[in-house]
Amino acid sequence: MVGRPPVKSRYRDYAAPRLYEIAFDTNRKLEVDFLVHCFKRYARIRVRRALDIACGTGPHLIRLADRGYAMSGLDLSSENIAFLRERLAAHGHHGELIVGDMTDFRLERPVDAAICMQDSQGHLLTNEQLLAHLRAVARAVRRGGLYVFDRYMASSWTNPARSWSWFKRRGRLVVRASFSALNEVNPVSQIFRERMTLEAIDNGTRRLYRQSHLSRMVFPQELRALVELAGGFEFVQWFFGFKPHQLLERSRRPLIMVVVLRRT
Ligand SMILES: C[S@@+](CC[C@H](N)C(=O)[O-])C[C@H]1O[C@@H](n2cnc3c(N)ncnc32)[C@H](O)[C@@H]1O
């Protein structure tokens, strides 16, 4: 896989992979069950090789590798990729992992499916970036293969911000996490702020990691128009959750949309 690490030395978000991996070890099995369902139900080719775009610490990538898929991963954070490389090896798998930008990458060998999870596409702050991204993914996926991703949605304009706090324990390490999205939404650019705090308490010592970054939402019809404009994919289906019956049209206040595209 050939990727370009454009701002490697300056990119400091997602620099606490171990804490992130523990804190966000949440709904992942259900999500991966759903991804596998989509691969089997909607792809016109047999999915064996898959690419996790903005793979982070690899919650989906590792689980898909455990289920026999040949996995590759791409992420802008060198910390995440280094962490995932060790994790993947510990699970007895190989995989191509690269530090790269999801708007500008090329694979040496195409894949049968790509995924991009946890609203990672939100990091693309303009339509131009999203178009460049869709075209890069189209180059990477074989005809008949799939691209599956999830995106946050604003279900209200009056108070769109949402926040969550929770904690997770791994051995003696406790990670207290808080995350908020859809803060300070700009209704024209559709850009908002996300904030994340991870507090690690390990044998009496306390470490705090804070991150605040911009993200962007897109609306369903806008997304479909952008997919058409980018070319290379047809729209297949969308959902408001990770269960096959949760079709987006059946939700009045969706918090996320999960989109399935097929490479034409
Ligand atoms: C919300 S995290 C999700 C990580 C993982 N997919 C998950 O489900 O836990 C977003 C990820 O996107 C990565 N990222 C941000 N901008 C990116 C870009 N332009 N290209 C590739 N990865 C990017 C970050 O480094 C981070 O790992």
Side-chain angles (χ1 to χ4, degrees):
M1 190 193 295
V2 183
R4 220 180 49 175
V7 286
K8 200 172 158 189
S9 55
R10 286 175 32 233
Y11 189 77
R12 293 302 306 157
D13 286 346
Y14 299 101
R18 180 156 181 250
L19 304 188
Y20 185 95
E21 188 272 316
I22 294 172
F24 286 86
D25 189 13
T26 48
N27 217 16
R28 310 315 200 142
K29 181 185 176 301
L30 182 79
E31 293 171 9
V32 170
D33 287 346
F34 182 75
L35 292 170
V36 169
H37 162 78
C38 290
F39 294 168
K40 292 186 174 159
R41 167 94 171 71
Y42 298 115
R44 297 236 160 98
I45 54 177
R46 174 140 181 233
V47 175
R48 298 167 203 262
R49 302 178 57 79
L51 169 69
D52 188 346
I53 298 168
C55 56
T57 56
H60 306 91
L61 188 150
I62 292 271
R63 285 177 172 83
L64 287 168
D66 283 345
R67 294 186 194 197
Y69 293 93
M71 295 302 299
S72 303
L74 175 88
D75 200 282
L76 201 50
S77 157
S78 50
E79 282 93 343
N80 276 349
I81 290 294
F83 178 84
L84 180 53
R85 188 161 282 130
E86 279 186 20
R87 233 186 133 198
L88 198 59
H91 279 242
H93 303 303
H94 303 285
E96 280 184 288
L97 300 177
I98 193 161
V99 178
D101 190 321
M102 64 175 137
T103 63
D104 180 16
F105 68 92
R106 279 173 194 277
L107 303 187
E108 276 165 8
R109 195 174 156 189
V111 289
D112 309 316
I115 61 169
C116 185
M117 304 299 290
Q118 196 87 4
D119 194 35
S120 298
Q121 274 184 16
H123 286 286
L124 307 176
L125 300 184
T126 63
N127 284 345
E128 289 66 32
Q129 285 183 340
L130 187 49
L131 287 169
H133 167 67
L134 289 167
R135 289 175 182 141
V137 184
R139 283 196 297 268
V141 176
R142 289 172 60 212
R143 277 168 182 258
L146 294 186
Y147 182 28
V148 187
F149 53 89
D150 62 2
R151 309 254 353 200
Y152 289 140
M153 289 184 68
S155 54
S156 151
W157 280 115
T158 46
N159 186 16
R162 291 191 214 110
S163 58
W164 298 265
S165 295
W166 69 98
F167 76 91
K168 292 262 174 187
R169 185 183 295 275
R170 185 83 61 82
R172 284 188 328 205
L173 175 63
V174 176
V175 181
R176 262 203 271 268
S178 63
F179 179 75
S180 70
L182 297 161
N183 299 289
E184 304 156 29
V185 176
N186 179 322
V188 175
S189 64
Q190 301 169 200
I191 291 174
F192 59 88
R193 185 160 288 283
E194 290 187 331
R195 298 193 182 92
M196 175 169 75
T197 305
L198 303 175
E199 182 191 12
I201 303 149
D202 193 359
N203 211 14
T205 55
R206 180 177 169 271
R207 192 155 56 99
L208 197 62
Y209 174 81
R210 280 186 208 280
Q211 178 175 319
S212 166
H213 57 252
L214 295 176
S215 187
R216 180 170 184 255
M217 70 173 111
V218 290
F219 291 91
Q221 297 306 322
E222 179 184 23
L223 181 77
R224 283 188 73 155
L226 288 168
V227 167
E228 249 179 63
L229 189 61
F233 283 110
E234 63 181 334
F235 170 82
V236 177
Q237 191 51 279
W238 48 21
F239 304 84
F240 66 91
F242 294 96
K243 295 203 175 132
H245 65 276
Q246 293 179 323
L247 296 182
L248 191 60
E249 286 83 357
R250 291 197 189 142
S251 173
R252 291 206 160 182
R253 289 175 170 268
L255 299 179
I256 58 165
M257 60 174 157
V258 188
V259 181
V260 182
L261 306 178
R262 186 165 46 227
R263 180 76 171 85
T264 51

